Amino acid sequence: MNEKTIQILLTNDDSIHSPGLWAAAQALDLLGFVHIVAPRHQQTGTGHSMPNTSTGIIETMSLHVNGRDWPVYAVDGTPAQAVVHGIYEVIKSKPDLVVSGINYGENIGSSITVSGTVGAALEATSFGIPALAVSMQTKPEYHLSLSQDIDFSAAAYFTHKFARVMLNRKFPFDVDVLKVDVPAGASAETPWMITRQSRMKYYHPEMTQRNSFSEPGPVKYKPNYDPNNLEPDGDTYVLLVDKKVSVTPISIDMTSRTDFHQLRRLIEAMDD
């Protein structure tokens, strides 16, 4: 396939032209061969979706980034679909690791499945492939911008750090994805913590003002949180209040951690 033993599939949800993607590519290049298969266009907020409107057309191109030519594959599809195309048509085998990011904007709280960054990682782990999803805290106005003003160097450092661990260590059962969120202004010396996914909503809907339902009314969003209501060990608190790197182990198993017998008794009680 190539001269490197370790095979890494890199994708994102901000498109093939994202500076965050390329910061990750440079960081991962030190660990193995990086196959870059990412959406052709912006796919923020597409989650783990597989819309049948995607054509699946793959544009093979060479991009000159950071003084080097990189072969890349731009997919007309979501990040999750890019992972599938990458495995079946580009690499034609399972890579050792899938990395999604580096995303413009933090992916924290109860709505992380909205994230295309996290969605790509979830798709990868459904194939039994270890997956890393990395996001950088930015102001909302930067989320769709592909701005060159964002410094991804710290996020790239942590991308390399955790990717290296995932390639060299077998994680415990049920740790399918590592979700890493890096605070704005972070450096390589910024502490990191293992966190839980917060149950609190972080991105709240912001409705478009309109005079009738026939007018366009896209749902926008804005961050909103009360530090006093956040779990101290949650991703939102650690990132926004402690200003540390949040490292959240994610399971693909979304089953509620409840007592099944107690739940059954509760349901059956309705028949009495």
Side-chain angles (χ1 to χ4, degrees), residues 210-222:
R210 54 183 173 176
N211 296 317
S212 71
F213 290 163
S214 62
E215 296 177 5
V219 178
K220 299 180 182 180
Y221 61 87
K222 60 181 177 181

Side-chain angles (χ1 to χ4, degrees), residues 193-210:
M193 282 186 60
I194 301 294
T195 58
R196 297 177 56 248
Q197 176 209 315
S198 174
R199 297 179 70 91
M200 303 298 176
K201 194 171 185 63
Y202 175 63
Y203 290 115
H204 292 258
E206 191 171 41
M207 308 308 293
T208 300
Q209 296 300 312
R210 54 183 173 176

Side-chain angles (χ1 to χ4, degrees), residues 36-94:
I36 302 174
V37 186
R40 182 188 303 172
H41 305 296
Q42 176 65 255
Q43 293 284 329
T44 290
T46 54
H48 191 185
S49 65
M50 297 272 185
N52 59 17
T53 53
S54 301
T55 67
I57 293 173
I58 301 175
E59 183 179 356
T60 304
M61 60 177 74
S62 178
L63 294 181
H64 190 76
V65 181
N66 300 319
R68 171 180 165 187
D69 291 324
W70 296 73
V72 300
Y73 302 87
V75 177
D76 178 38
T78 66
Q81 289 172 320
V83 168
V84 174
H85 289 292
I87 293 171
Y88 280 92
E89 296 187 286
V90 176
I91 306 176
K92 297 182 180 179
S93 65
K94 291 183 182 180

Side-chain angles (χ1 to χ4, degrees), residues 99-236:
V99 178
S100 182
I102 302 166
N103 188 63
Y104 280 81
E106 58 274 29
N107 281 304
I108 52 178
S110 63
S111 301
I112 61 168
T113 54
V114 174
S115 163
T117 304
V118 175
L122 290 171
E123 181 60 23
T125 198
S126 72
F127 290 97
I129 304 168
L132 175 65
V134 186
S135 301
M136 180 82 194
Q137 181 191 10
T138 67
K139 295 179 180 178
E141 54 263 34
Y142 285 106
H143 288 186
L144 304 177
S145 69
L146 301 186
S147 171
Q148 299 284 341
D149 296 336
I150 304 300
D151 181 1
F152 286 103
S153 58
Y157 168 82
F158 286 104
T159 299
H160 177 275
K161 175 183 179 67
F162 292 109
R164 181 171 177 268
V165 173
M166 296 182 82
L167 287 167
N168 288 279
R169 294 287 186 271
K170 183 174 177 59
F171 276 22
F173 173 75
D174 212 35
V175 179
D176 299 311
V177 174
L178 276 191
K179 181 181 73 72
V180 176
D181 292 275
V182 181
S187 70
E189 287 73 40
T190 299
W192 58 273
M193 282 186 60
I194 301 294
T195 58
R196 297 177 56 248
Q197 176 209 315
S198 174
R199 297 179 70 91
M200 303 298 176
K201 194 171 185 63
Y202 175 63
Y203 290 115
H204 292 258
E206 191 171 41
M207 308 308 293
T208 300
Q209 296 300 312
R210 54 183 173 176
N211 296 317
S212 71
F213 290 163
S214 62
E215 296 177 5
V219 178
K220 299 180 182 180
Y221 61 87
K222 60 181 177 181
N224 188 25
Y225 67 99
D226 180 355
N228 297 315
N229 291 333
L230 296 176
E231 312 93 325
D233 61 346
D235 54 5
T236 305

